Amino acid sequence: MPRSRSDVVRMINASDFEAAVRAIAELEAEGSPQTQADGLWLRGLLAARQYHLTDSVALHEEALAAYREIGDRMGEANALDSMGDALRMPDRHEQALGRHEEALGRHEEALVIYREIGNRLGEANALNSMGNALRMLERYEEALGRHEEALVISREIGNRLGEANALDSMGDALRMLDRHEQALGRHEEALVIYREIGNRLGEANARRAIGLCQRALGDSDLALESLRSAARIYAEIGLPRWAALAGAMAKTAEAQVSGVPATPVQDTVATFLDRVDAHIGPLLQRLDRADQDQVEFLYRKGLGPGQALVFAREWNSWQPLVPAAGWPRGGGYLLRWGSKGVAIDPGPGFVSILREGGFGLRDIDAVVVTHNHIDHVAELPHLLTLVHEHNEHSSQATRTVDLFLSPSVMQAYIGMTATSRDVGRLVRLLPGEPVSLPDYCLEIVPFSAHHSELGGARFALCLAFRLQDPAGDEGEVGTVLLTGDTGWREDLPILNAAPDLPRPLTLVAHLGTLITAQEGGFDAEHLEYRGVAALMHHLRNDGQLPECTVLSEFGLECRTIIREMVEGLRALTGGACIICAGTMGRTILLPAMAPACDLGGWGVRGCGAASSWTGVSDDLARGIHRCDRHRTS
């Protein structure tokens, strides 16, 4: 039975993100306008908790529009209030969104609605959030007023957590106004409540604030005790950076207690910590979450056997050396076959994209790289470093990763990999020299590509992965063929090889860009759209059309016209094969060579069953793929 939105909110607040993702997908699967709006809002909350604030704000905007369309005033107010929270937080990839005025406006809009519908809890929360935004804008007197209003309502409705939060926030505002005695009283009241309700984080925050007030009032002995207590609690609840912060503050108090004059360094650190205390919380949350992300990726249990090609890439960097503003991640591919996982061309952002999809280091047994350009190889060092970190700090068995590299990549990384205990097999890929991998149940067949390359070798690679039945009963059961980056030629080696490749076949065609400045003819370095059309036309005439073709590596300028690209190629091939866009998270099931149902997302988040229907969405014209169960969603 699908969970309610309040159930999912509790999962998100408890940081049970994988359970929340599954619950959101179940909720959305009901297909009603209400559950679709709830799903957008909950995904916005989830993105905020994972510090993807730009994504969170965009999801909140969609949820807000959906709630307004169906007339859900409570949903509208909730979306406005939590959007304000996201606007105030530091982003994972940016220093901060820094949109505090805009956040304040969202909280004010939410407050109006909560008052209209008589939701006192929402009213108190919105008032306290407004106070927090005003503090970030250094409008401390106004902030104090809002926190006081929130305190009155929280006490009237018996919301003890809200009461404690309002008291603690009032204390923060009073400290910024140098009214330390009043601030101390408010923090002490908050501490009593946090202890009563068992909120350990609230208790630690209140003790830290109490220690700062005591130190400012000259009570160094009490300040030392409070700050040490805060550091201990932070450590106990798994917040090491917070513990270090409180410990550093305790050191300055300890120097005052001992009577030994503080050194210039101690004075500088103490002054810095006092000045940034009002802003340090969100920054430490960001850093702690980043630490948790790395540990999660290193040690999360692998997803185990799976037969799929996962597109772990967003809009690629077609001008990687001079990226546009807001440049998205390049990414790469993950081929899951039998009991192994093969990362292919790990470009910028590949690791974080995999983590977001629910994958971990244990899902990667090998890395294959076609050529030494930054958008295909940028995160090879990242993966090698993560394997090294795992082996240095884990009590588990040592992991190794097998590397299958183009000649130029091999030349570039030979010093790092040749004697590393973190690397298993190290194989140079050469055209015409297939690499048989019985333990992977596949064979890698390299072909030369028409694409300039760095280093000694003057060619990049196309690759065919000939898939063998993991059960050993049926021999070869299909092929995944990656064109890689290549210009179009009628003598392209993969054309001659196509008749000999095991069927069914999935073709991953790299566009590179829409069209280059070159006049007439085809681009020398990339297929672009004209080359893909020529490739599909030749394959059709030769009776060698793949069962599934996925357009990949298209430049930023193509994101709004992918629909037209796909429809054009479907017309060219007479609808004889599946054609879709390799957008973020696209998953092709193997050896069926069919897109997976993408309701609810990808990786561990989505349905994942074989799709039987294909449509086109209005969201950046991404293809929609649904199984029979979710066909109407």
Side-chain angles (χ1 to χ4, degrees), residues 489-529:
R489 302 284 190 282
E490 290 196 2
D491 62 349
L492 204 62
I494 57 175
L495 282 174
N496 294 327
D500 298 323
L501 295 176
R503 293 299 179 121
L505 169 68
T506 284
L507 172 68
V508 180
H510 281 201
L511 273 75
T513 186
L514 172 63
I515 190 167
T516 62
Q518 180 176 321
E519 294 183 9
F522 293 91
D523 183 66
E525 298 288 325
H526 298 94
L527 286 174
E528 61 179 42
Y529 190 64

Side-chain angles (χ1 to χ4, degrees), residues 317-318 320-321 331 345-348 369-380 406 408-409 412-413 450-455 457-460 485-486 525-526 553:
S317 120
W318 62 285
L321 300 183
D345 282 356
V369 184
T370 61
H371 64 291
N372 195 22
H373 288 175
I374 194 70
D375 53 329
H376 291 255
V377 75
E379 296 212 350
L380 174 58
S406 72
S408 288
V409 178
Y413 288 92
H450 297 284
H451 191 72
S452 63
E453 173 64 310
L454 302 175
R458 304 312 301 168
F459 58 86
D485 287 1
T486 184
E525 298 288 325
H526 298 94
E553 190 155 328

